[in-house]
Amino acid sequence: MVQQDKLLERILGGASDANIGFEELCQLLRRLGFDERTRGSHHVFRKHGIQELINLQHDGSKAKVYQVRQVRSILLKYGLGGGSDA
């Protein structure tokens, strides 16, 4: 779990948006309680109590930069980055 905590810090810090692994980001969202639905290349995450959907796509092995920014915005808006299991 330490690796995912570091990933969460990197996402919330915003300094390395272009270096966030796609699969790592998906695993983090699952750990935070999001449900995943896959349709083609789109991985859509939703969670009860959160209005927004998170739609992720691969950019090679990395997540797309603008989508990492959207994830950060949602995590901050709903206070999901606070503890080890928010």
Side-chain angles (χ1 to χ4, degrees):
M1 294 264 201
V2 173
Q3 184 180 15
Q4 288 184 342
D5 292 337
K6 287 181 182 180
L7 175 64
L8 184 58
E9 288 176 20
R10 285 181 25 220
I11 291 170
L12 294 176
S16 61
D17 290 349
N19 293 318
I20 304 295
F22 176 80
E23 198 52 47
E24 290 177 305
L25 185 56
C26 290
Q27 288 175 0
L28 176 67
L29 291 172
R30 285 185 223 114
R31 191 189 99 191
L32 291 173
F34 285 84
D35 295 318
E36 180 180 13
R37 179 184 56 120
T38 304
R39 211 169 233 194
S41 65
H42 295 262
H43 295 253
V44 179
F45 292 86
R46 63 176 26 173
K47 182 175 179 170
H48 180 73
I50 295 183
Q51 214 170 9
E52 297 89 343
L53 294 178
I54 299 173
N55 183 5
L56 301 179
Q57 292 175 277
H58 290 273
D59 188 7
S61 65
K62 305 292 183 190
K64 292 187 176 188
V65 175
Y66 78 94
Q67 293 172 343
V68 173
R69 291 181 187 138
Q70 289 173 346
V71 168
R72 178 175 42 257
S73 173
I74 291 169
L75 294 179
L76 291 171
K77 179 178 178 180
Y78 292 95
L80 296 175
S84 61
D85 276 322

